[in-house]
Short mmCIF file of all heavy atoms in Angstrom, two decimals:
data_model
loop_
_atom_site.label_atom_id
_atom_site.label_comp_id
_atom_site.label_asym_id
_atom_site.label_seq_id
_atom_site.Cartn_x
_atom_site.Cartn_y
_atom_site.Cartn_z
N MET W 596 7.21 20.34 -21.02
CA MET W 596 6.95 21.70 -21.48
C MET W 596 7.84 22.16 -22.62
O MET W 596 7.30 22.79 -23.65
CB MET W 596 7.12 22.74 -20.26
CG MET W 596 6.01 22.51 -19.08
SD MET W 596 6.41 23.60 -17.73
CE MET W 596 6.19 25.18 -18.53
N GLY W 597 9.07 21.88 -22.52
CA GLY W 597 10.00 22.21 -23.55
C GLY W 597 9.86 21.51 -24.76
O GLY W 597 9.88 22.10 -25.92
N ASP W 598 9.37 20.28 -24.73
CA ASP W 598 9.06 19.45 -25.92
C ASP W 598 7.91 20.20 -26.69
O ASP W 598 7.82 20.09 -27.95
CB ASP W 598 8.64 18.13 -25.59
CG ASP W 598 9.89 17.20 -25.27
OD1 ASP W 598 11.08 17.76 -25.52
OD2 ASP W 598 9.69 16.22 -24.72
N SER W 599 7.04 20.82 -25.92
CA SER W 599 5.89 21.41 -26.60
C SER W 599 6.10 22.79 -27.13
O SER W 599 5.76 23.12 -28.31
CB SER W 599 4.65 21.46 -25.52
OG SER W 599 3.55 22.12 -26.15
N ILE W 600 6.75 23.71 -26.25
CA ILE W 600 6.90 25.07 -26.80
C ILE W 600 8.23 25.29 -27.45
O ILE W 600 8.51 26.40 -28.06
CB ILE W 600 6.71 26.05 -25.60
CG1 ILE W 600 7.79 25.87 -24.51
CG2 ILE W 600 5.38 25.98 -25.05
CD1 ILE W 600 7.74 26.83 -23.44
N GLY W 601 9.17 24.31 -27.31
CA GLY W 601 10.52 24.56 -27.88
C GLY W 601 11.67 24.82 -26.98
O GLY W 601 11.40 25.26 -25.76
N GLU W 602 12.86 24.48 -27.21
CA GLU W 602 14.03 24.63 -26.34
C GLU W 602 14.17 26.12 -25.95
O GLU W 602 14.32 26.42 -24.69
CB GLU W 602 15.31 24.06 -27.04
CG GLU W 602 16.45 24.28 -26.26
CD GLU W 602 17.81 23.94 -26.97
OE1 GLU W 602 17.58 23.44 -28.18
OE2 GLU W 602 18.91 24.14 -26.53
N GLU W 603 14.33 27.05 -26.83
CA GLU W 603 14.68 28.42 -26.49
C GLU W 603 13.59 29.09 -25.61
O GLU W 603 13.79 29.72 -24.58
CB GLU W 603 15.00 29.23 -27.75
CG GLU W 603 15.49 30.56 -27.41
CD GLU W 603 16.87 30.56 -26.54
OE1 GLU W 603 17.63 29.64 -26.67
OE2 GLU W 603 17.01 31.43 -25.72
N PRO W 604 12.35 28.87 -25.94
CA PRO W 604 11.20 29.44 -25.01
C PRO W 604 11.22 28.87 -23.76
O PRO W 604 11.08 29.48 -22.67
CB PRO W 604 9.95 29.05 -25.81
CG PRO W 604 10.37 28.97 -27.31
CD PRO W 604 11.72 28.40 -27.28
N MET W 605 11.65 27.55 -23.54
CA MET W 605 11.76 26.93 -22.28
C MET W 605 12.83 27.50 -21.54
O MET W 605 12.72 27.75 -20.31
CB MET W 605 11.89 25.35 -22.36
CG MET W 605 11.56 24.63 -21.09
SD MET W 605 9.88 24.97 -20.46
CE MET W 605 10.26 25.34 -18.67
N ARG W 606 13.95 27.73 -22.05
CA ARG W 606 15.16 28.35 -21.49
C ARG W 606 14.80 29.77 -21.07
O ARG W 606 15.23 30.25 -19.92
CB ARG W 606 16.36 28.39 -22.23
CG ARG W 606 16.90 26.89 -22.71
CD ARG W 606 18.28 27.11 -23.26
NE ARG W 606 18.69 25.74 -23.76
CZ ARG W 606 19.25 24.71 -23.11
NH1 ARG W 606 19.32 24.99 -21.79
NH2 ARG W 606 19.56 23.61 -23.61
N GLN W 607 13.86 30.43 -21.82
CA GLN W 607 13.45 31.79 -21.51
C GLN W 607 12.60 31.76 -20.15
O GLN W 607 12.60 32.59 -19.36
CB GLN W 607 12.87 32.46 -22.67
CG GLN W 607 12.49 33.87 -22.39
CD GLN W 607 12.15 34.54 -23.72
OE1 GLN W 607 13.13 34.87 -24.38
NE2 GLN W 607 10.95 34.86 -23.92
N ILE W 608 11.76 30.67 -20.07
CA ILE W 608 10.85 30.59 -18.86
C ILE W 608 11.68 30.44 -17.68
O ILE W 608 11.41 30.96 -16.61
CB ILE W 608 9.82 29.48 -19.14
CG1 ILE W 608 8.80 29.82 -20.00
CG2 ILE W 608 9.28 29.01 -17.83
CD1 ILE W 608 7.58 28.84 -20.35
N VAL W 609 12.76 29.64 -17.74
CA VAL W 609 13.56 29.40 -16.71
C VAL W 609 14.27 30.70 -16.28
O VAL W 609 14.36 31.06 -15.00
CB VAL W 609 14.67 28.34 -16.93
CG1 VAL W 609 15.74 28.25 -15.83
CG2 VAL W 609 14.09 26.98 -17.10
N THR W 610 14.81 31.43 -17.23
CA THR W 610 15.42 32.78 -16.85
C THR W 610 14.38 33.78 -16.32
O THR W 610 14.70 34.45 -15.37
CB THR W 610 15.91 33.33 -18.20
OG1 THR W 610 16.82 32.47 -18.82
CG2 THR W 610 16.73 34.65 -17.92
N GLU W 611 13.15 33.77 -16.82
CA GLU W 611 12.18 34.68 -16.27
C GLU W 611 11.85 34.26 -14.86
O GLU W 611 11.67 35.14 -13.99
CB GLU W 611 10.84 34.69 -17.12
CG GLU W 611 9.76 35.66 -16.68
CD GLU W 611 8.48 35.68 -17.48
OE1 GLU W 611 8.69 35.08 -18.60
OE2 GLU W 611 7.55 36.28 -17.17
N TYR W 612 11.68 33.04 -14.63
CA TYR W 612 11.40 32.56 -13.22
C TYR W 612 12.36 33.07 -12.20
O TYR W 612 12.28 33.60 -11.18
CB TYR W 612 11.32 30.98 -13.25
CG TYR W 612 11.28 30.42 -11.87
CD1 TYR W 612 10.27 30.68 -10.93
CD2 TYR W 612 12.38 29.65 -11.46
CE1 TYR W 612 10.32 30.09 -9.75
CE2 TYR W 612 12.28 29.01 -10.19
CZ TYR W 612 11.29 29.25 -9.34
OH TYR W 612 11.29 28.71 -8.13
N ARG W 613 13.68 32.90 -12.50
CA ARG W 613 14.79 33.31 -11.70
C ARG W 613 14.79 34.83 -11.58
O ARG W 613 15.07 35.40 -10.52
CB ARG W 613 16.17 32.90 -12.23
CG ARG W 613 16.36 31.37 -12.18
CD ARG W 613 16.11 30.79 -10.82
NE ARG W 613 16.29 29.30 -10.71
CZ ARG W 613 16.00 28.67 -9.71
NH1 ARG W 613 15.52 29.25 -8.52
NH2 ARG W 613 16.16 27.37 -9.69
N ALA W 614 14.47 35.59 -12.62
CA ALA W 614 14.37 37.06 -12.47
C ALA W 614 13.19 37.60 -11.60
O ALA W 614 13.33 38.53 -10.76
CB ALA W 614 14.20 37.78 -13.83
N ARG W 615 11.98 36.81 -11.86
CA ARG W 615 10.85 37.26 -10.97
C ARG W 615 11.16 36.89 -9.53
O ARG W 615 10.62 37.61 -8.68
CB ARG W 615 9.67 36.46 -11.57
CG ARG W 615 9.00 37.18 -12.76
CD ARG W 615 7.95 36.16 -13.13
NE ARG W 615 7.17 36.77 -14.31
CZ ARG W 615 5.99 37.45 -14.26
NH1 ARG W 615 5.55 37.60 -13.03
NH2 ARG W 615 5.40 38.00 -15.22
N GLN W 616 11.97 35.91 -9.25
CA GLN W 616 12.28 35.51 -7.78
C GLN W 616 13.04 36.65 -7.14
O GLN W 616 12.77 37.05 -6.08
CB GLN W 616 13.18 34.31 -7.81
CG GLN W 616 12.33 33.00 -7.77
CD GLN W 616 13.38 31.86 -7.51
OE1 GLN W 616 14.33 31.69 -8.16
NE2 GLN W 616 13.07 31.07 -6.50
N ALA W 617 13.93 37.27 -8.02
CA ALA W 617 14.79 38.32 -7.52
C ALA W 617 13.87 39.53 -7.11
O ALA W 617 14.33 40.16 -5.98
CB ALA W 617 15.87 38.73 -8.49
N LEU W 618 12.94 39.84 -7.67
CA LEU W 618 12.04 41.08 -7.48
C LEU W 618 10.87 40.67 -6.72
O LEU W 618 10.05 41.61 -6.36
CB LEU W 618 11.69 41.73 -8.75
CG LEU W 618 12.80 42.13 -9.59
CD1 LEU W 618 12.27 43.07 -10.74
CD2 LEU W 618 13.92 42.95 -8.78
N PHE W 619 10.51 39.28 -6.38
CA PHE W 619 9.20 38.94 -5.81
C PHE W 619 8.06 39.45 -6.73
O PHE W 619 7.06 39.85 -6.25
CB PHE W 619 9.08 39.40 -4.48
CG PHE W 619 9.94 38.57 -3.45
CD1 PHE W 619 11.32 38.83 -3.40
CD2 PHE W 619 9.52 37.53 -2.74
CE1 PHE W 619 12.16 38.13 -2.45
CE2 PHE W 619 10.26 36.72 -1.91
CZ PHE W 619 11.71 37.19 -1.82
N ASP W 620 8.27 39.39 -8.05
CA ASP W 620 7.22 39.73 -9.01
C ASP W 620 6.38 38.59 -9.30
O ASP W 620 6.58 37.82 -10.23
CB ASP W 620 8.01 40.19 -10.34
CG ASP W 620 7.01 40.73 -11.33
OD1 ASP W 620 5.77 40.88 -11.08
OD2 ASP W 620 7.46 41.10 -12.44
N LEU W 621 5.36 38.42 -8.52
CA LEU W 621 4.63 37.04 -8.30
C LEU W 621 3.09 37.21 -8.56
O LEU W 621 2.37 36.36 -8.03
CB LEU W 621 4.95 36.43 -7.10
CG LEU W 621 6.46 36.11 -6.83
CD1 LEU W 621 6.71 35.70 -5.33
CD2 LEU W 621 6.92 35.14 -7.89
N GLY W 622 2.68 38.24 -9.20
CA GLY W 622 1.33 38.31 -9.47
C GLY W 622 0.30 38.36 -8.32
O GLY W 622 -0.70 37.62 -8.30
N GLY W 623 0.50 39.00 -7.27
CA GLY W 623 -0.40 39.06 -6.19
C GLY W 623 0.14 38.44 -4.87
O GLY W 623 -0.32 38.50 -3.81
N TRP W 624 1.16 37.44 -5.18
CA TRP W 624 1.66 36.66 -4.06
C TRP W 624 2.94 37.27 -3.45
O TRP W 624 3.52 36.72 -2.64
CB TRP W 624 1.89 35.28 -4.56
CG TRP W 624 0.77 34.48 -4.86
CD1 TRP W 624 0.13 34.26 -6.00
CD2 TRP W 624 -0.04 33.80 -3.79
NE1 TRP W 624 -0.95 33.40 -5.85
CE2 TRP W 624 -1.04 33.07 -4.42
CE3 TRP W 624 0.01 33.70 -2.43
CZ2 TRP W 624 -2.11 32.40 -3.94
CZ3 TRP W 624 -0.97 32.86 -1.76
CH2 TRP W 624 -2.02 32.29 -2.45
N ASP W 625 3.41 38.43 -3.98
CA ASP W 625 4.67 38.98 -3.44
C ASP W 625 4.70 39.15 -1.95
O ASP W 625 5.76 38.71 -1.39
CB ASP W 625 5.03 40.19 -4.26
CG ASP W 625 4.00 41.34 -4.21
OD1 ASP W 625 2.93 40.97 -3.74
OD2 ASP W 625 4.43 42.44 -4.47
N ASN W 626 3.77 39.82 -1.42
CA ASN W 626 3.84 40.06 0.04
C ASN W 626 3.80 38.74 0.83
O ASN W 626 4.50 38.55 1.92
CB ASN W 626 2.64 40.97 0.51
CG ASN W 626 2.85 42.38 -0.05
OD1 ASN W 626 3.94 42.81 -0.16
ND2 ASN W 626 1.78 43.05 -0.32
N SER W 627 2.99 37.76 0.33
CA SER W 627 2.96 36.49 1.04
C SER W 627 4.30 35.85 1.13
O SER W 627 4.79 35.34 2.15
CB SER W 627 1.97 35.52 0.40
OG SER W 627 0.71 36.06 0.43
N TYR W 628 4.97 35.78 0.03
CA TYR W 628 6.39 35.16 -0.16
C TYR W 628 7.39 36.01 0.57
O TYR W 628 8.36 35.40 1.28
CB TYR W 628 6.69 34.99 -1.56
CG TYR W 628 6.13 33.78 -2.19
CD1 TYR W 628 4.89 33.88 -2.96
CD2 TYR W 628 6.65 32.53 -2.01
CE1 TYR W 628 4.33 32.72 -3.61
CE2 TYR W 628 6.08 31.36 -2.60
CZ TYR W 628 4.93 31.55 -3.42
OH TYR W 628 4.24 30.37 -3.84
N ARG W 629 7.18 37.20 0.57
CA ARG W 629 8.24 38.01 1.21
C ARG W 629 8.14 37.78 2.83
O ARG W 629 9.18 37.88 3.42
CB ARG W 629 8.07 39.53 0.93
CG ARG W 629 8.61 39.90 -0.39
CD ARG W 629 8.79 41.31 -0.58
NE ARG W 629 7.40 42.12 -0.45
CZ ARG W 629 7.47 43.49 -0.29
NH1 ARG W 629 8.57 44.19 -0.18
NH2 ARG W 629 6.31 44.07 -0.24
N LYS W 630 6.86 37.62 3.20
CA LYS W 630 6.72 37.32 4.57
C LYS W 630 7.45 36.12 5.14
O LYS W 630 8.16 36.07 6.10
CB LYS W 630 5.28 37.27 5.05
CG LYS W 630 5.14 37.08 6.57
CD LYS W 630 3.66 36.92 6.95
CE LYS W 630 3.50 36.95 8.50
NZ LYS W 630 4.23 35.88 9.11
#
Side-chain angles (χ1 to χ4, degrees):
M596 292 175 64
D598 286 345
S599 179
I600 63 175
E602 175 188 350
E603 189 57 35
M605 193 64 227
R606 294 190 189 281
Q607 189 162 283
I608 286 178
V609 173
T610 305
E611 180 177 355
Y612 168 63
R613 293 303 178 189
R615 283 174 172 264
Q616 272 190 309
L618 302 188
F619 286 80
D620 183 4
L621 303 170
W624 287 99
D625 54 343
N626 289 330
S627 299
Y628 280 95
R629 284 197 296 165
K630 182 182 186 306

